[in-house]
Amino acid sequence: MSTAQQCAALLALGVLVGSARLVWQSRQAAAHVRPRPWRTGLLLLGQATAAVLLYLAMFPPASRTASDALTVITANASAEQIARIGRQERVVALPEAPTIAAAERVPDLATTLRRHPAVSRLKVIGAGLQPRDLEAATGLSVEFEPAPLPRGLAQLWFPRRVPSGASWRMTGVVNAVPGGTVELLDPSQRRTARASPGTDGRFTLQADARTPGPAHFRLRVIDDTQRVVENIDVPLLTVVAPKLRVLVLSGAPSPELKYLRRWALDAGVELQSEILVRPGVRVRRSSASLAPDMLRQLDLVILDERAWRSLGAAGRNHLTDALREGLGVLIRITGSLSQRERDELQALGFDVRNTDLPRSTRLANIATALTRRPLQVAAADGVPLLSDDRAEPLALWRAEARGRVALWWLSDSFRMALDGSSADYGSLWSHALTTVARAGGLREPAFTDAVPRMNRRQVICDIDADARVEAPDGRRIPLLRDTSGCAAYWPENAGWHVLSTAGGDWPFHVRPADETPALAANEWRMATAAIATNRTQQKDMQPLAGVPGSPWPYLLAGLAALGATWWLERSKASRRPA
């Protein structure tokens, strides 16, 4: 039996004995001095009330409203949000929060929760919790009241590594810049792309990667008055990709093959071709064949429907087996298909049907008029490889075991090169080849933080035991892996760092801590919103624990009840007259 239960039992016994004594004395008293019935009832009630209040004074109930809820002020909290905080709320301010007289300054959320172990509900106000505090908030009921985002770049996506000679794409979102524009400058500060964000602030820019090595592009956000809102560094690593080994099979000579071969020569693609001039006569520019051993040495096979037809059953089986082992296959549809060929494509995952569609088409942001086959192609797990200016697909790809197969029904992309859009033509085929071709053997380490920053933990996974990082100042810092195969790294300098592993060197760029404030604020907002629960769930949750409330109200009320009972017992006003 606990101490509280023992005290409750003693108080109940005392009340029972006192009540029995009071009732016995009332019955034994003479009629002229016997107390009135209502006086006896009040005395019995007073004794029970005093006992209950005495117990509550010794063991006051937990004060849930003051102990299980905590208001956390973070960076960028506005004056309006702070003014809405109630006086009864317990408030703490993290180091990056504005100065608030009524708030307790704390170094981090984990320390705060150790000081207040009964807290089970958090109300976060401002930009949101930083990475150091997210883990401490996991498992608690979190209500998030975000602050308005700063003006400027709020979201940004671009690849870490780009093969030399390939085009790359950047997408992002700008906040509170209506009527503005975004510009991408190359390392020589020459403008290479420009776009006007939509009503939701989204934009897309495209550029080419040329010289291998680390490079710094610049992204400029300009408002409607032509004033630069932000000038953001875009670090890009251009790598020398291994040459793609491509075999092109064509049923007849065509301008598409001519310009594709010319582009491949300039782009460093190792292209082999075979052209069917007439039945039984083939023109070869290499010794390539469809033998299984030769197919294992290729990365991609491009063929049209006539070449597919001329392969025969054995050749198609060899090609399909190589596809499932990792080879990339791109089938161009330039003419009509037989029902048998449709069935064969159906076996590869593509449902091809004729449809009444206009043959003329255009690609987005390209003025050249092109031609497409009037086909409707569907695949359950298909991914668009190429789309027109109305977002209608002109090519689809899907995974087949370890390889990828694509179906392409744009007839004359070579017209882009004829119209002076050779860069767009190269970007089109570069994207197609790198998407469908055989995957490389090296596995890139995984960085959990999309935008590494100074003095912020970076978790790196898929590394070996001897991995180390070389900082910009030349220091080589060994990394200690945990049982999951990941390691933590705290960069102390901005700039290019190099992760050295058994699979090679992997440069990555670290931004200064105070760069791109709107981008950082949006990262905190999204991370905090991800762990926040809705208000309905918060109301239904029971507090995990509480702290004892103040005993003084119950003690004073108990003394008042004892005093009133004593006065009523001693008073003669409530006795019967003699």
Side-chain angles (χ1 to χ4, degrees):
M1 182 180 294
S2 64
T3 304
Q5 292 174 333
Q6 292 175 357
C7 291
L10 290 176
L11 288 172
L13 180 61
V15 170
L16 183 61
V17 172
S19 300
R21 179 190 63 83
L22 187 61
V23 172
W24 182 80
Q25 288 181 349
S26 175
R27 290 184 175 275
Q28 295 300 320
H32 65 282
V33 296
R34 181 178 300 165
R36 299 179 184 275
W38 61 266
R39 174 180 177 273
T40 303
L42 286 178
L43 289 174
L44 294 174
L45 179 62
Q47 289 180 357
T49 302
V52 171
L53 293 173
L54 182 59
Y55 175 82
L56 293 176
M58 292 187 293
F59 305 98
S63 177
R64 299 187 186 276
T65 58
S67 62
D68 73 327
L70 188 67
T71 299
V72 182
I73 308 298
T74 63
N76 301 337
S78 64
E80 293 78 8
Q81 291 177 313
I82 296 174
R84 291 195 295 268
I85 299 176
R87 293 184 178 181
Q88 73 280 5
E89 296 183 39
R90 179 174 295 177
V91 184
V92 297
L94 294 174
E96 60 275 3
T99 302
I100 305 173
E104 174 190 357
R105 302 299 297 192
V106 293
D108 53 58
L109 185 60
T111 301
T112 305
L113 295 178
R114 285 193 295 268
R115 294 177 180 175
H116 307 283
V119 169
S120 61
R121 294 184 294 130
L122 296 178
K123 181 179 180 182
V124 180
I125 297 176
L129 299 175
Q130 294 199 17
R132 69 159 189 268
D133 301 316
L134 289 173
E135 186 176 352
T138 304
L140 302 179
S141 174
V142 180
E143 177 186 352
F144 182 37
E145 185 179 331
L149 286 176
R151 190 184 189 206
L153 184 70
Q155 298 182 42
L156 184 65
W157 302 275
F158 62 93
R160 290 179 178 270
R161 302 160 60 90
V162 179
S164 177
S167 63
W168 59 280
R169 182 172 297 180
M170 168 194 296
T171 59
V173 178
V174 294
N175 178 62
V177 190
T181 57
V182 290
E183 297 179 346
L184 183 63
L185 309 180
D186 65 11
S188 64
Q189 301 303 304
R190 181 176 60 90
R191 188 175 71 188
T192 61
R194 184 177 183 179
S196 298
T199 55
D200 57 354
R202 295 186 176 274
F203 66 88
T204 301
L205 298 172
Q206 186 168 321
D208 295 328
R210 302 187 183 277
T211 306
H216 289 267
F217 288 73
R218 303 293 299 181
L219 179 66
R220 293 196 305 192
V221 181
I222 304 172
D223 63 13
D224 54 354
T225 64
Q226 300 304 307
R227 186 177 65 87
V228 176
V229 178
E230 267 191 310
N231 198 351
I232 302 152
D233 183 28
V234 181
L236 186 75
L237 180 65
T238 304
V239 298
V240 179
K243 284 188 176 182
L244 287 178
R245 297 159 298 179
V246 180
L247 172 64
V248 179
L249 303 175
S250 179
S254 68
E256 193 73 81
L257 179 57
K258 171 185 175 180
Y259 284 93
L260 181 58
R261 185 186 298 119
R262 181 177 299 177
W263 168 81
L265 181 63
D266 295 337
V269 176
E270 186 179 323
L271 188 142
Q272 309 169 35
S273 62
E274 181 177 319
I275 305 173
L276 176 64
V277 177
R278 64 178 185 267
V281 179
R282 298 171 183 265
V283 177
R284 293 185 177 181
R285 298 183 64 91
S286 70
S287 59
S289 69
L290 293 183
D293 292 340
M294 292 297 297
L295 289 175
R296 292 190 187 98
Q297 300 176 17
L298 296 174
D299 297 312
L300 178 66
V301 173
I302 303 175
L303 69 165
D304 57 22
E305 80 286 346
R306 288 174 293 184
W308 174 267
R309 187 182 306 128
S310 66
L311 290 179
R316 288 191 292 270
N317 289 337
H318 287 322
L319 189 62
T320 302
D321 292 341
L323 165 65
R324 295 191 173 105
E325 292 178 359
L327 176 68
V329 176
L330 190 151
I331 304 175
R332 297 176 53 244
I333 307 299
T334 61
S336 59
L337 298 173
S338 66
Q339 184 59 46
R340 180 177 179 179
E341 291 167 343
R342 295 177 193 275
D343 294 340
E344 291 172 347
L345 293 177
Q346 181 74 43
L348 291 176
F350 297 101
D351 182 15
V352 183
R353 300 180 183 179
N354 289 325
T355 184
D356 188 13
L357 289 174
R359 297 198 175 196
S360 179
T361 187
R362 295 179 187 272
L363 303 184
N365 302 320
I366 297 177
T368 305
L370 303 175
T371 307
R372 55 161 291 168
R373 294 296 303 173
L375 299 175
Q376 183 177 4
V377 182
D381 54 351
V383 180
L385 179 63
L386 176 66
S387 300
D388 62 13
D389 56 356
R390 296 175 298 177
E392 291 292 332
L394 299 174
L396 288 178
W397 71 267
R398 60 176 299 274
E400 180 69 21
R402 295 171 57 188
R404 290 181 176 183
V405 57
L407 205 62
W408 180 290
W409 56 99
L410 180 65
S411 303
D412 52 0
S413 64
F414 69 91
R415 294 185 183 278
M416 298 166 57
L418 293 176
D419 288 351
S421 301
S422 56
D424 293 325
Y425 176 79
S427 299
L428 175 73
W429 279 102
S430 174
H431 172 67
L433 266 61
T434 54
T435 301
V436 183
R438 187 189 301 271
L442 287 180
R443 184 176 183 181
E444 183 176 355
F447 293 79
T448 57
D449 199 343
V451 184
R453 293 182 183 272
M454 285 177 54
N455 302 321
R456 193 166 79 183
R457 184 181 66 169
Q458 175 73 212
V459 178
I460 309 174
C461 297
D462 298 333
I463 58 176
D464 54 82
D466 297 329
R468 61 184 63 241
V469 173
E470 182 176 348
D473 57 6
R475 290 182 301 137
R476 297 182 64 83
I477 305 168
L479 301 179
L480 298 179
R481 295 193 310 167
D482 59 14
T483 55
S484 65
C486 299
Y489 172 62
W490 280 263
E492 299 178 358
N493 305 96
W496 287 97
H497 296 61
V498 179
L499 172 65
S500 299
T501 66
D505 293 339
W506 308 92
F508 63 97
H509 188 267
V510 175
R511 292 185 181 274
D514 56 351
E515 192 178 49
T516 61
L519 185 62
N522 189 63
E523 291 174 4
W524 303 339
R525 170 188 280 208
M526 295 178 65
T528 307
I531 64 172
T533 55
N534 60 52
R535 293 178 180 270
T536 302
Q537 292 174 330
Q538 292 168 10
K539 290 179 181 179
D540 294 340
M541 288 187 65
Q542 295 296 326
L544 298 178
V547 297
S550 175
W552 291 106
Y554 304 105
L555 181 60
L556 294 176
L559 292 176
L562 288 173
T565 303
W566 176 84
W567 176 84
L568 185 60
E569 187 176 3
R570 294 292 185 267
S571 175
K572 297 181 179 180
S574 59
R575 297 179 183 273
R576 295 179 184 273

